[in-house]
Amino acid sequence: MNRQLAFDLPAQVAFRRADFFASAANSEALAAIEHWADWPGGKMLLIGPSGSGKTHLAHVWAEAAGAQILNAIDLAQADLPDLGARPVVVEDAERIGGNRSAETAFFHLHNLLAGRGLLVTANAPPRDWGLCLPDLQSRLQAASLVALASPDDALLSAVLVKLFNDRQIVVPPNLISYLVARMDRSIAAARALVAELDALALALGRPVTRALATYLLDSAASE
């Protein structure tokens, strides 16, 4: 295929509540985030596989609660008294397992927050993180937990439609169901796939069609 010069202009990822699509895979988690004032002890664990929407929901809650977001692995270098003054989102908490300095910082932050609001995201429950501080593990395991499942067909279809619309790309009706049946089942995979199709269509000077998607997916599979 002959290719033309194309500019890679990444689309901005929107983490607003209006951009979050509810489905059977995430409805329980969404309800928990929207009713955060009812969290026992002011804390919640949000568990789910990569690409299931944890970060999006974390941003939705942070906007509603006025919370600061940071990655768990950065806790050891964080200014804990400053963090403890307002609600906090700790992302990718499973990454601190076995990192004593990060675990100790998390333990102190947990105590500093004292019901002000703490949302923790991870890909598995605390018992699976390999924590070395029993006090931290016991406190986290006592927190309420809500889980996200991998995106279902309805959610992936809605996300793909929006991603194409955001790029002002008109696609044939049969393309969405075709992509859903063949793609990796995550929101991140949907974003990557739409971006790759957009770039390929621009480079070839062709519209985004099922034939183009087949070419892209088959090329990726052969690699």
Side-chain angles (χ1 to χ4, degrees):
M1 291 187 174
N2 294 323
R3 301 197 177 210
Q4 303 174 4
L5 179 63
F7 296 97
D8 184 13
L9 300 175
Q12 184 175 1
V13 178
F15 286 132
R16 299 170 303 178
R17 170 62 183 90
D19 299 301
F20 189 86
F21 293 96
S23 78
N26 60 36
S27 58
E28 183 180 0
L30 177 59
I33 293 300
E34 291 183 329
H35 296 88
W36 59 275
D38 299 329
W39 294 352
K43 58 186 176 181
M44 177 67 69
L45 298 178
L46 179 60
I47 308 302
S50 176
S52 58
K54 297 189 301 294
T55 293
H56 195 150
L57 283 179
H59 280 77
V60 170
W61 182 73
E63 176 68 21
Q68 181 171 341
I69 302 175
L70 78 161
N71 196 284
I73 206 66
D74 298 322
L75 279 168
Q77 290 78 42
D79 183 340
L80 296 182
D82 180 64
L83 277 178
R86 61 190 177 112
V88 175
V89 177
V90 176
E91 288 227 82
D92 302 323
E94 74 279 357
R95 297 181 62 196
I96 68 170
N99 183 330
R100 183 169 289 274
S101 59
E103 288 189 31
T104 300
F106 198 177
F107 176 75
H108 291 311
L109 175 62
H110 176 281
N111 294 338
L112 281 170
L113 287 169
R116 288 193 182 91
L118 172 64
L119 176 64
V120 181
T121 74
N123 60 16
R127 64 174 181 271
D128 299 327
W129 300 353
L131 295 172
C132 56
L133 289 183
D135 287 343
L136 175 62
Q137 181 164 333
S138 65
R139 281 163 173 74
L140 291 175
Q141 288 186 186
S144 297
L145 182 150
V146 65
L148 284 159
S150 295
D152 53 22
D153 287 0
L155 178 55
L156 285 176
S157 297
V159 168
L160 286 169
V161 168
K162 183 180 187 303
L163 290 171
F164 282 122
N165 287 340
D166 287 347
R167 292 173 178 266
Q168 299 182 340
I169 299 173
V170 178
V171 298
N174 65 349
L175 179 62
I176 300 300
S177 59
Y178 176 75
L179 292 176
V180 168
R182 298 194 60 184
M183 65 181 286
D184 291 339
R185 306 193 69 78
S186 76
I187 306 301
R191 291 194 186 101
L193 181 56
V194 170
E196 290 168 6
L197 280 170
D198 188 15
L200 183 59
L202 288 171
L204 297 175
R206 294 175 50 182
V208 175
T209 61
R210 176 166 169 166
L212 189 70
T214 300
Y215 171 77
L216 176 65
L217 292 168
D218 287 348
S219 298
S222 65
E223 294 175 359

